[in-house]
Amino acid sequence: MALGTRVQFDDSGPSGSAGLLAGLSERLSETIDRGVNYLLSLQASEGYWVGELEADTTLESDYIFYLQVINKANPERIAKLANYVRRRQLDDGGWNIYYGGPSELNATIKAYVALRLAGDAPECDHMQRAAQRAHELGGLESANSYTRLYLALVGAVGWDMVPAIPPELMLLPNWFAINIYEMSSWTRGIVIPLTILYAHKPLFNVPGGVSVDELYRDPSRKALGLSWDKELFSWRNFFLALDRGLKLYERVPWKPLRARALRQAREWMFEHLERSEGLAAIYPAMMNAIFALVALGHSPDDPLTAREIDEFSRFEIEEGDTIRVAPCVSPVWDTAIAMVALEEAGLPPDHTALVEAASWLLKEQICGSGDWMLKTPGVMPGGWAFEFRNDFYPDVDDTAFVLMALQRVDYPDKRRMEAAVRRGLTWLLAMQNNDGGWGAFDHNNDRRFLCHIPFADHNAMIDPSTADVTARVVECLGRYGWPASHPVIERAVRFLLKDQTEEGPWFGRWGVNYVYGTSGVLRALETVALTARDYCQRAVGWLRSVQNSDGGFGESIASYYDPALKGKGASTASQTAWGLIGLLAATENSDPAITRAVNHLVEQQLADGSWAEKEFTGTGFPCVFYLKYHLYRNYFPLYALARYRNMSNRIAQFCGLRVRPQEFDRQNVQNVQNAQYARRVN
């Protein structure tokens, strides 16, 4: 049941404002009203918003494999999953990892294996075309480490093809250069269950078995993915040599540290299964945890395993004769952005929709321990996670957006709101890295040599500072009253300047791509009055240069592979909104580029108040995994258009709370003292 109610706004600003073309003002207000009402209609009765997260078919392929392994392969479910996979096969026989993209090897191999498990014969035309395309892309010998490991679990390939992932990783001390807390949070969630699987090397039986010999291009080169660099001395060769040594260690019957390491891996996993809706609340970690539980002797019907299987099944989305699978859910993220869009669009600050959403967000604040504490001892928790419940992993991006959303709500319990905001800001400030930027989940998680570990081919082994997350925090602090002269902001700006590309834009780690990163940075620097600086005007010039002839902005995911494609692609609703937000932050509203972008969004809105978008504009792991946020195409255009109207008509914004930075300066001194004491004690 939806909570939202229909509203109509009175555009009472001065008529004929600069930048509004004849006839556009009325159409703009109608567009914003429709967008508001559409977004309100999507609000859940509990107060939150959550849109679908869509990914590529590797999820459905892995899910077929997973259901067979845990003996839950209901024929109807398997058939519907297989339908979804088959219908996304490309004309060349392969499968891609983003809309409009080329065939990708691992997606193609996984789809082939899944369809074999679903009953498709290798002699079928679509299967032969798939096998041929896999050969053309390099064959099974070129597959990544996780594809190899899953196939090893069912005996389809030997464990010699799998990079070593020993549980002894758990025994490395936190001060050592390589340890689990120098890996990104999502890598920990994915890899620690895999250490259990690697140690046990279980053989899971699936009906009919799995044969993949036909997917090798050259069976004599099965170890191609673990081949040496041409350079004698390189991090890759160092870790490959270590990998060879670890595999020799695996052959030793007596491993004095193995039992202790496995016990710690098991305890870590069990601890992290609590206070979360599945391990790390993300697809690969949850699936790996279930496999690890089975390998440890817990049957699929064991209460603990059954609970995790039930949590995992909630990612299924059944539609007609298909089932697709989401990689996770995004209620906190969607709720915060939807609130900011509605606030900008003029929804009264005490409107029921905003108050109910704020109440829900306040209940979601995480006040318990998490992995981030290992590197920030003595800091009080207070962040927000991305999902419904993922208490070990609050993240900086969500926390910053939530704090911005809460600031503009006229909440009845002001003491509770202020306490939550102060706690959230304290946590956010403590997460600033030594380089001045912010990462997503961890503090100073930037040891780049770890990216050369053989099982690090998911391209996200670490969680360093990024421009888009740093910009979000700067925008948040700027809205709460932090000036550009404050040391926290000065350090952040120095990081952003180092991260800016020569042409002017910023890379987008969590959104596609340079349009996303540039928009976020310009909006952030606007809040601290820095957009007149030369570096911002270079970014504005770049945005103008990549605007499409239809007035929109678009950027293909291919820009992650080829920097020459920065800002190039078909116009999309979300990317046009980002481009418009960036321009509004740093140039006059009368700029023709702004008017053209506004016109594009107004013209592209559908009758129900939504926008259409097929492209993936979200990023999981660059060059490996991408996302389509189904609400991006709605709340970002609404925000951008409303911001244009407000700036054109000089409409003031409601601000429920500002916080003096001096108060946090004292808190930061205390945090440093607490951290120093904790290090001495430990």
Side-chain angles (χ1 to χ4, degrees), residues 5 103 122 134 155 216 247 271 322 491 565 571 573:
T5 56
S103 293
Y216 289 109
K247 286 182 176 176
E271 178 188 9
T322 67
R491 292 173 57 215
L565 299 176
S571 296

Side-chain angles (χ1 to χ4, degrees), residues 7 9 32-41 342 345 347 638:
V7 296
F9 297 119
I32 292 171
D33 289 349
R34 283 194 298 267
V36 166
N37 287 319
Y38 180 79
L39 202 53
L40 286 172
S41 74
L342 290 169
L347 205 65
L638 175 62

Side-chain angles (χ1 to χ4, degrees), residues 506-526:
W506 280 270
F507 178 82
R509 164 62 181 86
W510 296 98
V512 182
N513 175 352
Y514 292 90
V515 173
Y516 179 81
T518 305
S519 170
V521 172
L522 289 175
R523 177 69 185 104
L525 296 180
E526 179 191 17

Side-chain angles (χ1 to χ4, degrees), residues 8-25:
Q8 188 75 23
F9 297 119
D10 174 25
D11 184 10
S12 57
S15 60
S17 299
L20 287 174
L21 297 181
L24 178 58
S25 180

Side-chain angles (χ1 to χ4, degrees), residues 231-487:
E231 299 177 24
L232 180 60
F233 299 104
S234 68
W235 279 116
R236 176 176 174 80
N237 285 348
F238 170 79
F239 283 116
L240 283 175
L242 181 61
D243 185 80
R244 302 295 195 272
L246 289 169
K247 286 182 176 176
L248 291 174
Y249 171 72
E250 288 295 317
R251 298 176 187 175
V252 176
W254 183 66
K255 303 180 182 67
L257 299 175
R258 179 57 53 94
R260 181 182 164 202
L262 275 172
R263 184 169 62 253
Q264 287 199 20
R266 179 181 179 277
E267 289 173 355
W268 187 96
M269 187 175 74
F270 277 43
E271 178 188 9
H272 284 70
L273 288 174
E274 298 300 323
R275 296 167 46 220
S276 67
E277 295 181 342
L279 186 61
I282 55 173
Y283 182 112
M286 292 169 71
M287 185 173 72
N288 293 348
I290 293 168
F291 286 159
L293 287 171
V294 174
L296 288 169
H298 298 263
S299 77
D301 297 320
D302 176 274
L304 177 58
T305 316
R307 186 190 75 184
E308 298 310 308
I309 290 171
D310 181 61
E311 295 286 2
F312 198 31
S313 70
R314 295 180 186 180
F315 288 167
E316 295 181 21
I317 302 170
E318 188 168 359
E319 189 173 73
D321 64 346
T322 67
I323 292 176
R324 60 186 181 275
V325 187
C328 59
V329 292
S330 54
V332 174
W333 183 245
D334 285 331
T335 300
I337 305 175
M339 288 174 69
V340 169
L342 290 169
E343 290 159 357
E344 192 72 31
L347 205 65
D350 61 351
H351 191 280
T352 303
L354 295 178
V355 172
E356 291 292 336
S359 293
W360 184 81
L361 284 175
L362 290 172
K363 289 186 291 186
E364 294 297 307
Q365 188 172 28
I366 297 171
C367 297
S369 61
D371 284 11
W372 58 272
M373 284 183 155
L374 269 293
K375 288 194 167 187
T376 51
V379 175
M380 182 171 61
W384 278 264
F386 185 74
E387 304 86 357
F388 282 111
R389 193 173 189 206
N390 190 15
D391 287 3
F392 282 91
Y393 299 112
D395 72 272
V396 169
D397 217 0
D398 276 275
T399 300
F401 235 129
V402 167
L403 291 170
M404 290 189 285
L406 294 178
Q407 186 190 32
R408 294 171 67 177
V409 179
D410 188 6
Y411 195 70
D413 189 346
K414 291 179 171 50
R415 290 183 64 184
R416 182 186 180 196
M417 173 69 82
E418 184 172 349
V421 166
R422 289 180 182 279
R423 190 163 185 156
L425 286 169
T426 298
W427 183 80
L428 206 60
L429 291 166
M431 295 296 285
Q432 187 174 26
N433 292 330
N434 291 345
D435 62 9
W438 278 265
F441 293 87
D442 282 304
H443 187 240
N444 291 331
N445 190 277
D446 56 3
R447 295 191 173 173
R448 296 185 184 276
F449 67 87
L450 295 177
C451 299
H452 298 280
I453 292 176
F455 62 77
D457 48 11
H458 59 307
N459 198 31
M461 191 69 172
I462 56 176
D463 183 11
S465 297
T466 63
D468 43 9
V469 177
T470 300
R472 197 86 65 208
V473 180
V474 171
E475 180 184 357
C476 175
L477 295 177
R479 289 193 186 195
Y480 273 93
W482 263 250
S485 59
H486 192 279

Side-chain angles (χ1 to χ4, degrees), residues 48-99:
Y48 62 81
W49 280 265
V50 60
E52 181 183 342
L53 267 181
E54 182 181 342
D56 59 69
T57 57
T58 58
L59 275 68
E60 291 75 28
S61 299
D62 282 344
Y63 204 69
I64 290 173
F65 175 87
Y66 152 82
L67 290 173
Q68 298 278 7
V69 165
I70 67 169
N71 198 27
K72 301 283 185 182
N74 175 284
E76 183 179 355
R77 292 168 79 197
I78 295 294
K80 289 187 173 186
L81 287 159
N83 286 341
Y84 187 84
V85 174
R86 283 191 211 98
R87 290 172 190 173
R88 277 150 184 79
Q89 187 174 22
L90 302 178
D91 291 341
D92 65 7
W95 281 260
N96 59 22
I97 58 173
Y98 61 91
Y99 177 83

